[in-house]
Amino acid sequence: MKFGNHLLKAAMLSTISIVSLSAGSVAFAQDTAPQASDEADENVIIVTATKREQTLEEVPVAVSVTSAAAIERAQVRDLKDLQTLVPSLRVSQLQSSANTNFIIRGFGNGANNPGIEGSVGVFIDGVYRSRSAAAISDLPNLQRVEVLRGPQSTLFGKNASAGVISIVTAAPSYEFGGSAELSYGNRNAIVAKADVTGPISDNVAFSLAGGINKADGYGTNLTDGSKTSERNRWYSRAQLLIEPSESFKLRFIGDYDKIDENCCFVGNIFDGPTGNAIRAIGGRVNSRGIFSYSEYQNFNSENNITNGGISMQADYEMGSLSLTSISAYRESRAKTNADSDFTSADLIGQNRGDVDITTKTQELRLASDFDGPFNFLLGAYYFNESINNKQALTLGRDFRNYANALTGGAYTSNEALIRALAGVPSTAAQFGGQGQGRFEDWDYKNKAYSIFGTADLELTDGLVLTGGFNYTKDKKNLASDIRITDVFSSIDLIQVAAAAGVPAVLPAGAVGNTSTLYPRITACPNRNGAPTVCNPFLGLQALQFLPPFLNFPNAVEDGRTSDGKLTYSARIAWEATDNINLYASYGTGFKATSWNMSIDSRPFASDFVAGSPAQGAPITPSAIRTAGLATVNLTSGTRYALPEEAAVMELGVKAKWDRVAFNLTVFDQSIKNFQGNTFIGTGFVLSNAGKQSVKGIEFDSSFNPIDALQLRVATVYLDAKYDSYVGSQFGNLSGRSVGGIPKWSTTVGATYTADLNDGKALVFNADYHNESNTVINDNPADAQYKREVNDLSAAVTLRFDTGLQFSLWGRNLTDAQYLSVIFPSVVQSGSVSGYPNAPRTYGASVKYKF
């Protein structure tokens, strides 16, 4: 990380913010709630889902709130674990520690391609984390986690078309205190963390926090016996709170975290026709079932991720107005490498990635707190990000023999003839040679500006009408420098056949054996079984998956996009009684263009019509061909996906009595041009679904039949489908259900606190999470692969009034097994691989609060 070079820039940004605050005559509204004590009534939860402090029952927004106490009881370690407490949230970790998908109400994307920002925005203390690698570190000293469901563009300045995960950490306190915790579990799992807070002077307070999380992997590499899917991460965090006066305060936050793990376990689900080819060259595939948690890798994967940044929040108040400024600078770097074929054969030599992200953000908000019927919030947001993305995929030492085995010897037996006909120099490397591959270097720039606001008008006592808006202008520039060294993929096999005198397109009724005319070229049967002239080389085209790349900007493609969109929301909320609140709302959302920053970035069909110059029929002229830019084996596809446009209608009820509380939401949500990123075995295809929608019901409740017992039930019903998805990688998916989204998700929990003598207490907690059986992905050919989730977690804690507590805990106690994600095995057409869930974990912990 290069913080030394950038601290001055961040300090200057913060200084500018302070000056702008001092120049105004405005009021202060605390952005985070006061730190709650352990004895506070957990049913009274303060949230800032609307950028104002309200209780959970008062806020007319579909939001799930998980308190720090609930997270501690459930032994939630990171955002991936949080989904067992929030049924509307799904978190899927993919091929590396840097790739995680966050999904709310069935909408979510953003992993596996740094050119794609997630449709679910992640904010930590008001600071946007633009990529999943910057948001998956262990949860810091928490106050609460808010999961806002549905588009949130009118209050969040960047990419919240599907929802928001807002993490709020505890601010420094003027009362000295802290905690230390040590946990040990199976697979040598060690979690150690500590925090301390207290005063420096009458108006200055600090806090420090840090922790480590280590565990042996639950997967086994059968090649050398090493463990995969391990945990090895740590974090540190420092805060300073300065309050020069009652009306002005500053909160500085600095954080740094590091992940260095051998991740992530991939198992074989279906050993397809390529399995025999791998075994024919001496390789091995583990076909004993994915839940053997064993695989083959020729080397341990590399997942080296560092995140860090500084932020300053300044609040100033005067009278009934408040101004909040949040300035932030962040860096994230992910270096990864993996043996992506997951066999003992060296098919893929390396699959390297080095993504360096630098982000600067600035938010200003002016809010009112008038006594009258009208109040407002007005804000502005600035986002500036640069990404350098270097990727490399090379062929391994066994790839040539593997390709030959797949083609029955045709790959090498035809090599001399193809090279001669294609005019490939004798000095060029042999087909499929080790070390050949693709070498990518991408340079990405994104600047965005937003203005947003809401206004509340109390029509009568308890009846409030709210309107909101957001206008975003988003500009992106992308440049590629891609070099391909794969010799075979750079050959036009249609041109080769033409050079041998074989027509690429057969004349009608052409018959006759041509083997005597064209040596090494044999006849092929036509539909009637009679021999006809054909191109015997076309069967090798599937092995040309690394063709020459058309770099851009070029004379046709400028590598730029500029999007602007006005989104809005309207809501009416009614406090029907002291215990019941009702609301109805309609809102829209927006996410700007996402670029395909991968080897599968190809010109749009409007710019290029694919085809060989020797096709035998005229090729429709296109801008790229006219400009002389067409490269060998170039095909059309997408350079970017169009912006997402979201809309949602909601009806909600929030109710709370002394012992019972519940929230009910009925909604109809859709996203036009949903940005889908589909893995096809050799790369990712970025495309727009015409429209994806979900209709659903969300219900969560708590019940305290007696003071010592709390019962919780939360359930979500989702009917998710593609209204229109004509150009998907799997054909027309219009009208089909969205893969991986269960109809029902339910969490049932209970906490019982038994007060013992001498101030001791025994706390029992259990949570059961279920997701109904669902097809895992969108490919109709994989409809037999389904997932049902049954996850039971529990903990028992002995708590002393001295602040000391001992816990026994377990997650996935029934050792349930299910698939998280499945995908076509890399360079193994017809085989299927996937990620299983983690097996049972359990352990003990001791914690001391002071």
Side-chain angles (χ1 to χ4, degrees):
M1 303 295 285
K2 305 180 285 298
F3 290 110
N5 298 332
H6 301 297
L7 284 172
L8 180 60
K9 296 179 182 178
M12 291 175 64
L13 185 63
S14 298
T15 301
I16 293 171
S17 301
I18 295 171
V19 170
S20 66
L21 285 169
S22 302
S25 173
V26 286
F28 156 80
Q30 189 176 333
D31 192 51
T32 57
Q35 185 171 355
S37 70
D38 294 330
E39 305 301 325
D41 181 3
E42 211 180 311
N43 290 326
V44 180
I45 301 175
I46 302 297
V47 298
T48 53
T50 60
K51 300 291 181 78
R52 301 173 182 272
E53 286 186 358
Q54 294 175 282
T55 67
L56 179 59
E57 288 71 30
E58 291 173 336
V59 62
V61 172
V63 55
S64 300
V65 181
T66 308
S67 67
I71 287 173
E72 180 180 309
R73 285 197 306 264
Q75 294 294 315
V76 169
R77 302 296 186 185
D78 56 28
L79 285 177
K80 188 172 183 289
D81 296 333
L82 188 64
Q83 62 186 322
T84 59
L85 300 181
V86 183
S88 58
L89 174 67
R90 180 166 183 81
V91 184
S92 299
Q93 183 167 291
L94 303 177
Q95 82 275 16
S96 77
S97 300
N99 286 282
T100 302
N101 260 348
F102 301 110
I103 300 171
I104 295 177
R105 288 180 173 173
F107 298 102
N109 51 27
N112 295 307
N113 192 326
I116 305 174
E117 292 178 71
S119 298
V120 175
V122 178
F123 293 78
I124 300 180
D125 290 322
V127 177
Y128 178 52
R129 303 291 182 95
S130 64
R131 300 298 188 281
S132 61
I136 60 173
S137 60
D138 284 13
L139 298 174
N141 190 18
L142 279 177
Q143 185 170 303
R144 65 183 179 276
V145 177
E146 302 175 10
V147 178
L148 285 68
R149 308 185 293 267
Q152 305 294 326
S153 293
T154 57
L155 285 173
F156 292 85
K158 182 71 171 173
N159 288 357
S161 58
V164 162
I165 300 172
S166 177
I167 299 171
V168 180
T169 68
S173 170
Y174 287 100
E175 182 178 346
F176 184 76
S179 67
E181 180 180 359
L182 178 64
S183 177
Y184 182 80
N186 62 325
R187 298 196 302 275
N188 294 314
I190 297 175
V191 174
K193 54 186 178 182
D195 63 272
V196 62
T197 185
I200 296 176
S201 67
D202 290 342
N203 60 356
V204 180
F206 79 97
S207 69
L208 298 172
I212 62 170
N213 186 345
K214 299 172 68 70
D216 296 341
Y218 56 79
T220 300
N221 180 1
L222 297 173
T223 304
D224 60 8
S226 61
K227 294 297 184 178
T228 63
S229 283
E230 65 181 4
R231 271 286 191 264
N232 184 21
R233 53 185 64 178
W234 61 267
Y235 73 89
S236 60
R237 186 177 177 86
Q239 296 190 65
L240 192 64
L241 178 64
I242 304 174
E243 296 183 286
S245 67
E246 292 184 358
S247 61
F248 183 49
K249 77 170 184 177
L250 299 170
R251 182 183 178 188
F252 294 92
I253 303 174
D255 67 273
Y256 183 80
D257 61 78
K258 184 175 178 63
I259 298 173
D260 187 3
E261 298 174 343
N262 182 6
C263 179
C264 301
F265 172 79
V266 169
N268 177 268
I269 298 174
F270 177 69
D271 187 0
T274 56
N276 289 331
I278 291 171
R279 284 181 280 272
I281 62 173
R284 288 172 291 176
V285 181
N286 180 29
S287 304
R288 293 184 299 154
I290 190 170
F291 294 109
S292 69
Y293 292 101
S294 53
E295 63 186 343
Y296 286 101
Q297 290 186 356
N298 297 317
F299 58 87
N300 289 336
S301 67
E302 176 185 357
N303 293 269
N304 194 323
I305 303 162
T306 53
N307 292 301
I310 56 175
S311 67
M312 186 207 73
Q313 178 171 328
D315 298 286
Y316 188 70
E317 72 167 75
M318 184 175 174
S320 298
L321 294 176
S322 63
L323 183 66
T324 297
S325 168
I326 303 177
S327 312
Y329 174 87
R330 299 204 59 79
E331 289 187 359
S332 177
R333 184 169 189 180
K335 298 184 68 174
T336 60
N337 189 21
D339 178 23
S340 296
D341 58 76
F342 300 102
T343 73
S344 67
D346 189 18
L347 308 182
I348 299 297
Q350 293 187 358
N351 187 4
R352 286 194 168 276
D354 189 347
V355 183
D356 200 347
I357 304 174
T358 300
T359 306
K360 291 168 279 189
T361 58
Q362 173 63 54
E363 181 175 0
L364 287 171
R365 297 197 306 267
L366 177 66
S368 69
D369 187 19
F370 302 137
D371 291 333
F374 176 77
N375 275 287
F376 73 90
L377 181 146
L378 185 64
Y381 186 80
Y382 170 74
F383 177 86
N384 187 326
E385 183 170 73
S386 61
I387 300 177
N388 181 249
N389 176 28
K390 291 182 170 63
Q391 304 283 334
L393 184 144
T394 60
L395 304 180
R397 64 179 178 275
D398 295 326
F399 181 83
R400 177 177 168 85
N401 290 336
Y402 171 65
N404 206 42
L406 286 176
T407 60
Y411 189 70
T412 56
S413 64
N414 285 294
E415 180 173 1
L417 177 61
I418 292 174
R419 291 170 72 102
L421 294 173
V424 176
S426 59
T427 55
Q430 63 181 0
F431 291 174
Q434 183 177 6
Q436 297 178 40
R438 71 184 191 220
F439 302 88
E440 309 170 44
D441 192 347
W442 300 86
D443 185 35
Y444 171 99
K445 297 285 190 299
N446 180 199
K447 290 184 179 181
Y449 311 82
S450 296
I451 56 172
F452 59 91
T454 61
D456 298 330
L457 179 62
E458 189 170 12
L459 301 175
T460 63
D461 187 27
L463 184 64
V464 179
L465 179 65
T466 300
F469 79 96
N470 178 301
Y471 179 77
T472 294
K473 186 68 175 179
D474 189 289
K475 297 182 178 181
K476 294 183 172 75
N477 299 338
L478 184 62
S480 68
D481 182 9
I482 315 298
R483 182 170 54 93
I484 307 292
T485 61
D486 180 18
V487 174
F488 181 62
S489 294
S490 66
I491 294 174
D492 182 346
L493 294 177
I494 296 177
Q495 183 70 52
V496 164
V502 179
V505 179
L506 300 180
V511 295
N513 192 324
T514 62
S515 58
T516 57
L517 301 176
Y518 313 113
R520 307 290 296 277
I521 296 176
T522 58
C524 303
N526 65 12
R527 292 180 180 178
N528 298 321
T532 63
V533 180
C534 71
N535 183 346
F537 306 131
L538 293 185
L540 302 175
Q541 280 187 323
L543 296 169
Q544 295 185 309
F545 55 87
L546 294 175
F549 189 86
L550 176 61
N551 283 303
F552 62 93
N554 53 51
V556 176
E557 303 169 297
D558 62 9
R560 299 173 181 268
T561 54
S562 180
D563 303 311
K565 184 68 177 180
L566 176 67
T567 57
Y568 59 90
S569 64
R571 180 177 61 239
I572 188 164
W574 179 38
E575 186 180 352
T577 70
D578 292 340
N579 306 104
I580 299 176
N581 293 274
L582 310 173
Y583 72 91
S585 66
Y586 178 81
T588 62
F590 172 73
K591 187 179 85 168
T593 295
S594 286
W595 279 86
N596 192 352
M597 200 186 298
S598 79
I599 197 65
D600 296 288
S601 172
R602 299 184 177 96
F604 290 104
S606 57
D607 293 324
F608 179 72
V609 177
S612 168
Q615 197 71 45
I619 299 175
T620 303
S622 59
I624 285 176
R625 198 177 297 279
T626 301
L629 298 174
T631 59
V632 175
N633 295 331
L634 180 65
T635 59
S636 59
T638 63
R639 292 295 197 192
Y640 54 80
L642 297 173
E644 294 181 350
E645 298 181 6
V648 63
M649 292 184 291
E650 292 181 353
L651 295 174
V653 180
K654 298 197 172 193
K656 184 179 184 298
W657 292 271
D658 290 340
R659 293 191 176 276
V660 179
F662 72 86
N663 304 302
L664 175 66
T665 307
V666 180
F667 65 91
D668 185 349
Q669 185 173 335
S670 64
I671 295 183
K672 293 181 180 179
N673 293 328
F674 181 77
Q675 298 169 358
N677 192 42
T678 305
F679 185 62
I680 57 172
T682 56
F684 292 86
V685 176
L686 178 63
S687 62
N688 286 110
K691 183 181 180 182
Q692 179 180 335
S693 67
V694 59
K695 295 178 175 64
I697 302 172
E698 297 163 328
F699 175 80
D700 63 84
S701 63
S702 64
F703 174 47
N704 294 78
I706 58 175
D707 291 343
L709 178 63
Q710 183 192 60
L711 304 175
R712 302 175 298 274
V713 176
T715 188
V716 175
Y717 170 78
L718 299 177
D719 181 14
K721 69 175 183 178
Y722 292 115
D723 300 82
S724 174
Y725 200 175
V726 176
S728 87
Q729 192 59 32
F730 309 119
N732 187 353
L733 296 179
S734 300
R736 297 181 66 94
S737 297
V738 180
I741 308 303
K743 290 281 188 183
W744 290 96
S745 298
T746 303
T747 296
V748 179
T751 302
Y752 179 76
T753 304
D755 290 326
L756 308 177
N757 57 3
D758 300 325
K760 297 189 292 292
L762 196 60
V763 182
F764 299 88
N765 186 81
D767 291 286
Y768 170 74
H769 179 70
N770 170 264
E771 296 177 11
S772 61
N773 203 23
T774 185
V775 174
I776 295 177
N777 72 8
D778 288 331
N779 189 353
D782 293 333
Q784 71 270 31
Y785 300 116
K786 298 182 178 181
R787 172 184 64 239
E788 181 176 356
V789 176
N790 292 285
D791 193 308
L792 175 65
S793 300
V796 56
T797 300
L798 177 60
R799 193 168 61 198
F800 297 84
D801 59 2
T802 59
L804 185 65
Q805 63 184 47
F806 298 92
S807 299
L808 297 174
W809 55 267
R811 297 189 62 81
N812 189 18
L813 285 171
T814 62
D815 209 21
Q817 297 177 336
Y818 54 89
L819 296 169
S820 174
V821 177
I822 68 172
F823 59 90
S825 302
V826 176
V827 296
Q828 298 166 73
S829 179
S831 295
V832 181
S833 298
Y835 302 95
N837 69 307
R840 175 171 46 227
T841 58
Y842 53 86
S845 65
V846 57
K847 184 173 183 178
Y848 179 64
K849 299 180 181 180
F850 58 90

